Amino acid sequence: MASGDTLATFFPSANEPPSSNYAPFSLRNGHPILQFDDTTAYSAIFTAVMPQNYSNATGVTVYVTATAIATSGTMGWTVEFERMDSGTDLDSDSFASAQTITATTVPATSGAPLTLNVAVTKGANMDSVVAGDSFRIRVTRDVGNDSAVGNTELMSVEIRET
Amino acid sequence: MANVPDTKKCQDLINVAALQVQAIRAAVATLKQLRTTFLAVNPSTAGTALQGNTTAISNSINALDTQASLAVWDTMIAAYVASHQNNALS
């Protein structure tokens, strides 16, 4: 697959919430969203199968699109991959180390979506996910580094070939 | 204390101040309304806790009203963020 091509997309209804500190589902003017607290690090988890045409040449870039209640301050995220191959015990989590999406100033209009991204290199940072692997991606608000007050509201996650 | 930026810690106080001053304003409004009724009825205060204290109470209600009406409280109320859960300082 060529650089920039979409590998997977996720939306709020596909969330597989963790047992605690999960981002609750809600609507904003009819748009499905997941609400992320500004102090406690809430997470959302999505499952997919890496497409067979994923080249694993460099890795992937993860795009997170969200709105904020605030019209000032910054919004940031972390993303983590978990490969679910035959060597994975699903009874416990085994996410790779968190990859940080740098906290960035939110739009001046509260309802305006902001898309941020981080490149995740192949191998350990992706928990060695390759074509055909089932995997999970966990998205967490980076509450320790972003400064926007009030909820941020995740609308979508896209994974592209880097 | 949560390891979060200062903006969120400040919001704890902003939110609580906004909520509490609105409660104070409601209480002051109740006191002022009852004072008006009380003065209209003008009952004898002899033998009650009000005896000799009505002026002081009335003055205190006015002082509370003055303080609770300060513009700075309006600023806090305007900056209230409902989705902030006020646990950044805890």
Side-chain angles (χ1 to χ4, degrees), chain B residues 15-67:
Chain B
N15 270 13
V16 172
L19 291 172
Q20 294 305 319
V21 80
Q22 289 178 95
I24 292 169
R25 285 178 174 180
V28 169
T30 299
L31 288 168
K32 289 169 66 178
Q33 184 178 35
L34 194 59
R35 178 176 62 183
T36 299
T37 303
F38 183 89
L39 291 174
V41 175
N42 195 25
S44 170
T45 60
T48 73
L50 288 175
Q51 185 174 5
N53 289 325
T54 52
T55 299
I57 288 174
S58 183
N59 289 342
S60 185
I61 291 171
N62 290 339
L64 286 169
D65 191 23
T66 299
Q67 289 299 315

Side-chain angles (χ1 to χ4, degrees), chain A:
Chain A
M1 187 165 279
S3 175
D5 286 352
T6 298
L7 295 165
T9 54
F10 307 101
F11 301 96
S13 59
N15 180 30
E16 301 164 0
S19 59
S20 62
N21 295 334
Y22 53 85
F25 183 90
S26 189
L27 296 172
R28 180 165 185 163
N29 191 33
H31 300 282
I33 56 171
L34 296 173
Q35 297 176 312
F36 289 74
D37 185 62
D38 64 5
T39 303
T40 301
Y42 287 1
S43 296
I45 299 173
F46 305 96
T47 294
V49 174
M50 186 60 77
Q52 296 292 345
N53 54 358
Y54 167 58
S55 73
N56 199 35
T58 305
V60 299
T61 301
V62 179
Y63 293 78
V64 176
T65 298
T67 53
I69 295 296
T71 55
S72 63
T74 60
M75 178 197 310
W77 306 92
T78 63
V79 298
E80 300 154 274
F81 280 86
E82 181 192 53
R83 185 185 191 190
M84 297 190 293
D85 64 349
S86 60
T88 304
D89 181 356
L90 299 185
D91 288 338
S92 60
D93 293 343
S94 57
F95 288 95
S97 59
Q99 306 297 302
T100 300
I101 296 178
T102 303
T104 302
T105 301
V106 301
T109 300
S110 174
L114 174 64
T115 301
L116 303 172
N117 70 82
V118 62
V120 184
T121 54
K122 68 176 182 176
N125 287 340
M126 286 182 60
D127 204 22
S128 300
V129 172
V130 295
D133 281 343
S134 295
F135 69 98
R136 297 195 298 176
I137 181 170
R138 179 164 64 190
V139 180
T140 304
R141 182 172 174 182
D142 192 2
V143 297
N145 288 311
D146 74 7
S147 62
V149 169
N151 286 347
T152 53
E153 303 157 333
L154 185 144
M155 300 171 61
S156 67
V157 177
E158 179 187 15
I159 300 176
R160 299 182 196 170
E161 182 108 34
T162 299

